[in-house]
Amino acid sequence: MTGRRGLARVALVVALAAAATAMAATMAGRTAAAEPAPPAVASASVRWRAPAGCPDEAALRARLDARLPRPLGAGDTLDATITVARTGRRLRARVVVWTPVADVDRELVAGRCDELADAVAVVLARAVAEARALAPVAPLAPTSPVAAPPDDGNVMASMDPRRPADLEPPPSPAPPRPGRAGRRASPRPPPPPTASRVRTDGGLRPALVSGAGITPKVGAGLELGLWLVRDTLALEVVGTRWLERLAGLPASQRFGAAVGLDALAVRACWQPDRYGPRVCALGEVGTMTGRGVGLFDARVGEGPYSAAGLGVLLRARLGEHVALVGGFDMLRAIDRPRFVLDRGTVLFQPDPLAGRVRLGVEVGWR
């Protein structure tokens, strides 16, 4: 019996030791689980790649900070990459933004790099403001335990099970959950401005013209044009006055008909770049006049003139609103008036094919 009692005592001691070990491991696990994980280190990274002449990355960060109630700092989590490329007369920016609450991939288009940088800054400011509004609030720091009051003999009252508040500290208030009120309280930047996708320009163009096949010999004249450009398309309305040239008799250089032309042309053009070449299709109508010179019973005659053709304009920028313009047109005459003497001798008739060149100055409002 004594041996059995000894074995029972040993088994009891072993069981108690195992239970104590398990309880200690459980308490250690709970303590480790209760300790909050260290917060992730927030970082803000903005990468800006743009052509020469555009604002640099520091200027973009300044535009972004100006649109935030608090400048971008280490407490913000933001990863943004902006790539700007020039396509023709426009600039395109691909904006890729990541925050803990948003993942943005969009494209912005503008005519100038400053406008594009402002639009990008607004997009980034919106993403940062939303991330700040929806960021979890840090839990309150644990309060230090309150020292026990001195023993005044009322131990039984403090240990009264009907008063648990005397035994446990008051519960910490739950951290507020972000909701609609939190979103409204956070300052929201204004919506990004709509980048200008279509550029409009227009102005006036005085020019000197010279050509062959329109008036006798090599003619010269003055031209005044109004033009309007919208994106890559252009429309021109051009008035031309050709100075009179003498179409003389075969045996004389002083007698014949002085021929002139007043014409109005409409040109529809394609212009891929702001200061690049302008390729045009045109139609022209006018009135050609012939005045007898040194002839007996000289009279004045006139007839309709019309032509169609193709032309090209080359432009070189001289200033912010001024460009030097040179161009060449090829024309196919449709209506060709004839100037004849009473006996039927033909003095002049425009050629079926004609060409002209121009040199002028273009003044625009943008």
Side-chain angles (χ1 to χ4, degrees), residues 250-330:
S252 174
Q253 298 297 325
R254 295 183 299 169
F255 306 103
V259 179
L261 173 64
D262 292 328
L264 183 68
V266 176
R267 304 162 61 94
C269 309
W270 177 68
Q271 179 180 322
D273 296 317
R274 183 178 182 185
Y275 290 101
R278 187 181 296 172
V279 181
C280 306
L282 63 99
E284 185 174 54
V285 295
T287 300
M288 185 170 285
T289 59
R291 177 175 55 85
V293 176
L295 301 176
F296 179 76
D297 192 19
R299 295 186 297 270
V300 176
E302 63 181 29
Y305 171 83
S306 64
L310 299 173
V312 62
L313 287 175
L314 301 178
R315 307 159 73 236
R317 184 177 182 180
L318 299 179
E320 185 177 1
H321 303 285
V322 182
L324 181 66
V325 179
F328 175 76
D329 294 340
M330 283 295 299

Side-chain angles (χ1 to χ4, degrees), residues 6-20:
L7 293 175
R9 289 177 182 177
V10 172
L12 180 59
V13 171
V14 172
L16 291 176

Side-chain angles (χ1 to χ4, degrees), residues 20-311:
T21 302
M23 183 176 297
T26 303
M27 294 300 295
R30 291 182 179 178
T31 303
E35 294 180 356
V41 178
S43 62
S45 175
V46 178
R47 292 173 293 277
W48 167 261
R49 303 183 183 94
C54 289
D56 57 9
E57 187 171 308
L60 178 67
R61 291 287 292 263
R63 283 173 162 86
L64 172 58
D65 290 341
R67 289 166 171 80
L68 293 172
R70 184 179 76 251
L72 192 68
D76 296 309
T77 301
L78 174 71
D79 187 13
T81 301
I82 304 97
T83 305
V84 181
R86 185 180 297 276
T87 57
R89 299 170 58 200
R90 295 173 293 183
L91 291 163
R92 294 180 181 271
R94 185 183 178 190
V95 184
V96 180
V97 184
W98 180 89
T99 66
V101 299
D103 192 357
V104 179
D105 188 349
R106 62 180 299 183
E107 185 178 86
L108 300 175
V109 181
R112 295 188 309 173
C113 214
D114 287 341
E115 298 174 356
L116 193 61
D118 289 335
V120 170
V122 172
V123 172
L124 297 182
R126 170 180 289 181
V128 173
E130 291 180 355
R132 289 176 178 178
L134 299 179
V137 179
L140 298 178
T143 58
S144 59
V146 181
D151 186 4
D152 57 357
N154 194 19
V155 177
M156 295 304 295
S158 63
M159 297 298 292
D160 188 353
R162 292 173 297 176
R163 299 178 60 189
D166 294 337
L167 302 178
E168 300 178 359
S172 299
R177 298 180 62 186
R180 299 181 63 87
R183 293 190 181 185
R184 291 179 181 176
S186 175
R188 298 285 298 272
T194 302
S196 176
R197 295 180 177 273
V198 177
R199 186 175 186 87
T200 303
D201 197 2
L204 186 71
R205 183 182 67 239
L208 300 175
V209 293
S210 179
I214 300 175
T215 58
K217 304 176 183 177
V218 177
L222 301 175
E223 180 181 272
L224 182 63
L226 299 174
W227 55 274
L228 177 68
V229 174
R230 182 174 175 82
D231 197 16
T232 60
L233 301 179
L235 180 67
E236 299 181 357
V237 179
V238 183
T240 308
R241 165 158 286 189
W242 291 88
L243 304 179
E244 289 185 343
R245 296 286 292 174
L246 181 66
L249 294 172
S252 174
Q253 298 297 325
R254 295 183 299 169
F255 306 103
V259 179
L261 173 64
D262 292 328
L264 183 68
V266 176
R267 304 162 61 94
C269 309
W270 177 68
Q271 179 180 322
D273 296 317
R274 183 178 182 185
Y275 290 101
R278 187 181 296 172
V279 181
C280 306
L282 63 99
E284 185 174 54
V285 295
T287 300
M288 185 170 285
T289 59
R291 177 175 55 85
V293 176
L295 301 176
F296 179 76
D297 192 19
R299 295 186 297 270
V300 176
E302 63 181 29
Y305 171 83
S306 64
L310 299 173

Side-chain angles (χ1 to χ4, degrees), residues 347-362:
L347 291 177
F348 176 74
Q349 184 179 22
D351 294 338
L353 293 177
R356 66 182 168 204
V357 295
R358 67 173 49 81
L359 181 65
V361 176
E362 199 169 75

